[in-house]
Amino acid sequence: MYVSVEVITMLATAVTMLVAIVSGFGWMINRMDARFEAQDAKYEARFDRIDDRFDRIDDRFDRIDDRLQKVEVEITEVKIAVARLEGPTPRLMTVR
């Protein structure tokens, strides 16, 4: 089978272009990973401080939640005490 020089040149060019594109993407991915790692290292302490602040705020919310739960229990007790003072509700029909 006869293959012309133009076909061989096109195939070689296609393979060369494919290798160039794949290696270019590989280089870009490696460079992006390096930059992301540098940014992560740069801001890691800042993120840790922000996480600590979130933990403190979460603790405050937990304490407030506990206080609200105690208030809810006390309100329920007050409701029961008021109901006992008022007595049973009057009925429309008397019981025989």
Side-chain angles (χ1 to χ4, degrees), residues 55-66:
D55 289 339
R56 287 194 310 265
I57 290 172
D58 193 34
D59 291 339
R60 287 179 62 190
F61 277 127
D62 288 341
R63 287 194 311 262
I64 290 171
D65 191 33
D66 291 340

Side-chain angles (χ1 to χ4, degrees), residues 4 19 41 48 56 63 71 76 81 93:
S4 68
V19 168
D48 289 340
R56 287 194 310 265
R63 287 194 311 262
V71 168
T76 304
M93 297 177 59

